[in-house]
Each structure stands twice: as structure tokens, then as C-alpha cells.
């Protein structure tokens, strides 16, 4: 239904708009997977709501633990917080996992029982690097599940031209689709959206191209297929090279990047490194990443920027360097890392 699809200046603006609609006051909570894309914690804070983390299980390839999620809801309610929505990021950012059909179905059942709106961040849906767990949209699973779920679970889905093989982050184009949202609520969201009178025309043109790509018989079809397939196949190879590279390093463990654009290895930092970070006034993973930058020029993001369990450290890096450059990048990383670990284990 086109009346339930809103074009936005990137998925970010749509997510901010919906979170702002859901959160009424400081007692309204939003469930968010941790590690998480910081857009969520920042927007929830800006909107005056409560950030409710549910931790993904790294040892299960960043899988879901429904018991952990239930515990997060229970603890929030004991603090007087009304949990109103649940965010799912599929494929994951920064963790790169793809949710299975069963995972999504279990989450839909959970949100039905707990009366939560599902916020499905699906911006990396074209970035899949294995065949065992293809991307499956939350809406498809919701519709397949049947009554009463398909008519009662409220869902908002988000997509963008910033990811996939398009990568047009600077053009600011995306959309959200609402499913089972009451018509009066849709009217209010429309009213707020209408404050921005002027449409982002270039972004909307690109979005139109994304959802309506060249078809068989079109003059550009062969080139489109060749380029898009080439980009995704190269990213699949890069995901393997980078994961294998991290796992060859001393005190580094990394799950395979099933989807999205990132690798999120765990750093098993020696106690002396943690102490040195403390003396430098830095979080341990920040200390590591700054040393890596100084020594190699490789820029990464400390895991503490995304949230992580106490005493566990990570970094996030993209799989986007040119494929021919990646072996050199990983060799440089390995040399730094192994020297760093040896220095602080001595």
C-alpha cells in the first residue's frame, strides 16, 4: 500500500522519526540488540526514552537468546519502564550475522505476547556472503505466520540506497513501510513528515532506480547484472579473507561476516595492556585501536562504541578496502597485533 510507504532522507531519518513517535517520556523503553549501531542509543537518548539492551551471543555467531530478551524486558519493567518496541538489525551491524527464518518467527511471537512494535532495520539485505542463511524480511515471516500475528503485530521496516552494491551514502535516500499500524497513528506520522515541505528529488530518483532496476531486454541490463554481481562476489571473497586473517592473529577471535559490511573481531587483551590503557586514560579497545592507527594507518572503531559485555573487547572494521589491497592490509594488521600482544604478555 503506497500510503504506508514513506520516502525518507536515508533510513536514519525514518528510524529517528519512528522512535520519536513511539517514545513519549523517560519511562518508555526500546529493546535494542547489543552490540548495536549507535544511531539507536543516541536517538533514544535524544527522544528522552530508555535504552534497553539485549545481548547477542557471540559464541553462537551473534545469535539470539530469547531467554536473555525476556530477562531484559522483566528487569526494565521492574524499574517502572514500559517497553514499547524491539529493534532487530538484519543483517547485523556491527556483528554481520543473518537471522534465520526461525529466529525472526520467534521474535514475532515474542513481540505479539509482549505487545511490542517490531522495528526491522534491513538496510544490508543485499549484502549476503553465504548461502545457508539468505536474507528474509520480517514482513515475509510475519505474513507467513498467519493469524492472529499477521494482522496484529505492528511492524515498521527500513531500507536505504546507502548499502547493497549501490553504496550511495551521500545521496540520502531510503524508505520505511508500516504494517498493522493504526490509521490514526499513520495520519499523525504523515502530519509530522509534512513539516519538511521540500522533497529530496535526487534521492528519490536513486531510490526509484533501486526498487525498479533494469529488466531483461533493457539496454543496460547486461551491464547492470555484471557490475552488481561482480561487486557482491568480490565482497563475499573479502569477507572470507578478512575473517581468516583475523583468526590467524594472536589473541584474536572472529565470527564470519555472513552479511552487512563489517568484521567485528574480539580482542583478548592481556592484563598489562588493560593496565597501560588505564594509565593512558583510555578504554582498553580504544587504546588498542589508537596504537593500531599510529603504527599502520589502519582506522578502526573500538567495540565500546557499539556496546559489549563487561570485560570483553572488540573492534569493527569494514570489508570495503579494494580486494587487491586486503592481503597487504591484513598482513600489516597481523604484524602490529602480534607484536602488541607479545609486548604486553611479556
Amino acid at each position: 500500500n503506497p500510503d504506508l510507504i514513506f520516502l525518507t532522507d536515508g533510513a536514519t531519518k525514518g528510524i529517528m522519526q519512528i522512535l520519536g513517535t513511539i517514545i513519549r517520556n523517560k519511562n518508555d523503553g526500546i529493546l535494542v540488540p547489543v552490540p548495536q549501531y549507535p544511531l539507536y542509543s543516541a536517538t533514544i537518548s535524544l527522544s528522552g526514552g530508555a535504552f534497553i539492551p539485549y545481548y547477542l551471543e557471540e559464541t553462537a555467531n551473534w545469535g539470539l537468546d530469547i531467554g536473555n530478551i525476556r530477562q531484559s524486558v522483566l528487569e526494565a519493567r521492574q524499574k517502572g519502564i514500559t517497553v514499547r518496541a524491539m529493534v532487530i538489525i538484519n543483517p547485523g551491524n556491527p556483528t554481520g550475522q543473518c537471522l534465520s527464518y526461525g529466529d525472526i518467527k520467534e521474535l514475532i511471537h515474542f513481540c505479539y505476547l509482549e505487545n511490542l512494535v517490531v522495528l526491522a532495520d534491513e538496510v544490508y539485505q543485499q549484502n549476503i556472503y553465504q548461502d545457508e542463511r539468505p536474507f528474509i524480511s520480517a514482513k515475509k515471516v510475519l505474513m507467513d505466520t498467519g493469524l492472529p500475528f499477521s494482522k496484529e503485530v505492528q511492524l515498521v521496516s527500513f531500507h536505504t540506497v546507502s548499502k547493497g552494491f549501490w553504496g550511495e551514502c551521500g545521496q540520502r535516500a531510503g524508505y520505511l513501510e508500516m504494517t498493522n499500524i493504526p490509521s490514526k497513528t499513520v495520519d499523525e506520522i504523515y502530519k509530522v513528515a509534512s513539516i519538511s515541505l521540500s522533497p529530496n528529488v535526487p534521492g528519490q530518483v536513486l531510490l526509484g532506480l533501486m526498487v525498479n532496476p533494469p529488466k531483461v531486454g533493457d539496454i543496460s541490463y547486461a551491464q547492470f547484472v555484471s557490475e552488481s554481481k561482480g561487486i557482491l562476489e568480490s565482497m563475499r571473497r573479502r569477507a572470507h579473507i578478512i575473517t581468516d586473517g583475523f583468526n590467524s592473529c594472536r589473541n584474536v577471535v572472529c565470527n564470519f561476516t555472513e552479511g552487512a559490511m563489517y568484521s567485528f573481531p574480539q580482542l583478548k587483551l592481556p592484563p598489562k595492556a588493560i593496565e597501560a590503557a588505564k594509565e593512558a586514560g583510555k578504554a582498553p579497545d580504544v587504546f588498542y585501536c589508537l596504537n593500531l592507527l599510529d603504527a599502520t594507518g589502519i582506522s578502526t572503531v573500538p567495540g565500546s562504541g557499539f556496546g559489549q559485555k563487561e570485560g570483553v573487547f572488540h573492534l569493527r572494521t569494514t570489508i570495503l578496502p579494494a580486494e587487491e589491497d586486503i592481503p597487504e592490509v591484513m598482513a600489516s594488521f597481523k604484524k602490529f597485533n602480534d607484536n602488541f600482544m607479545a609486548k604486553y604478555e611479556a
Side-chain angles (χ1 to χ4, degrees):
N1 181 347
D3 292 337
L4 300 178
I5 299 173
F6 285 32
L7 306 188
T8 57
D9 291 343
T12 297
K13 288 294 185 183
I15 291 165
M16 293 176 71
Q17 183 176 359
I18 296 300
L19 286 174
T21 302
I22 292 171
I23 296 169
R24 302 164 299 184
N25 54 52
K26 65 181 181 180
N27 294 320
D28 282 346
I30 309 293
L31 274 168
V32 181
V34 174
Q36 55 98 31
Y37 180 46
L39 164 68
Y40 290 96
S41 52
T43 303
I44 291 165
S45 178
L46 188 64
S47 300
F51 177 85
I52 312 298
Y54 66 92
Y55 287 92
L56 302 175
E57 292 301 318
E58 185 170 11
T59 55
N61 203 25
W62 299 112
L64 294 167
D65 181 345
I66 203 72
N68 178 296
I69 299 171
R70 286 197 185 96
Q71 186 64 28
S72 294
V73 172
L74 179 63
E75 291 175 2
R77 286 175 177 160
Q78 289 172 345
K79 297 175 184 175
I81 294 170
T82 301
V83 183
R84 287 173 59 82
M86 179 177 188
V87 174
I88 59 174
I89 306 176
N90 181 38
N93 176 10
T95 46
Q97 86 288 5
C98 295
L99 295 179
S100 69
Y101 189 100
D103 285 337
I104 300 170
K105 188 171 184 177
E106 189 172 28
L107 289 176
I108 286 170
H109 278 257
F110 176 77
C111 290
Y112 172 78
L113 293 173
E114 300 293 345
N115 194 29
L116 304 178
V117 181
V118 181
L119 304 180
D121 181 335
E122 298 173 338
V123 299
Y124 293 101
Q125 58 186 262
Q126 290 175 307
N127 300 105
I128 307 296
Y129 312 123
Q130 39 70 47
D131 301 319
E132 292 74 24
R133 287 204 272 189
F135 168 75
I136 304 168
S137 71
K139 184 173 182 183
K140 172 176 172 49
V141 179
L142 177 59
M143 294 298 106
D144 285 354
T145 304
L147 297 173
F149 309 97
S150 59
K151 290 293 185 184
E152 294 188 30
V153 174
Q154 297 183 18
L155 167 69
V156 185
S157 306
F158 304 93
H159 197 19
T160 181
V161 302
S162 295
K163 312 298 188 273
F165 48 81
W166 310 87
E168 293 287 357
C169 297
Q171 298 292 348
R172 310 318 303 145
Y175 66 83
L176 63 85
E177 182 187 20
M178 293 176 278
T179 304
N180 298 330
I181 305 297
S183 59
K184 287 187 177 179
T185 303
V186 174
D187 290 344
E188 291 301 314
I189 293 171
Y190 182 83
K191 190 186 297 181
V192 173
S194 298
I195 294 171
S196 301
L197 294 176
S198 302
N200 175 356
V201 176
Q204 291 186 7
V205 170
L206 283 176
L207 191 63
L209 292 171
M210 183 185 80
V211 300
N212 187 29
K215 297 177 176 60
V216 176
D218 289 349
I219 192 169
S220 57
Y221 178 74
Q223 183 176 348
F224 168 76
V225 171
S226 174
E227 289 189 13
S228 58
K229 185 178 179 182
I231 291 168
L232 292 175
E233 287 180 348
S234 173
M235 291 178 76
R236 180 182 283 228
R237 291 191 296 269
R238 283 179 264 178
H240 281 280
I241 295 168
I242 289 175
T243 303
D244 292 345
F246 281 133
N247 283 323
S248 74
C249 294
R250 185 171 179 170
N251 295 351
V252 179
V253 180
C254 187
N255 285 318
F256 176 62
T257 301
E258 295 182 339
M261 296 178 174
Y262 311 103
S263 193
F264 197 64
Q266 182 183 145
L267 310 169
K268 297 182 181 294
L269 298 177
K272 288 182 180 178
I274 295 172
E275 185 60 33
K278 186 176 179 181
E279 290 174 2
K282 305 290 184 186
D285 50 4
V286 174
F287 179 75
Y288 179 96
C289 290
L290 287 173
N291 274 269
L292 172 65
L293 179 63
D294 287 343
T296 68
I298 298 172
S299 177
T300 58
V301 184
S304 50
F306 304 93
Q308 52 197 352
K309 291 182 178 178
E310 188 69 29
V312 181
F313 309 106
H314 299 84
L315 62 80
R316 188 192 81 166
T317 184
T318 74
I319 61 168
L320 298 177
E323 187 175 349
E324 60 269 21
D325 294 339
I326 285 181
E328 182 182 349
V329 171
M330 294 312 297
S332 179
F333 177 89
K334 179 177 174 62
K335 180 181 178 182
F336 161 80
N337 174 82
D338 293 0
N339 289 339
F340 180 94
M341 296 299 179
K343 174 183 177 180
Y344 288 106
E345 284 181 334

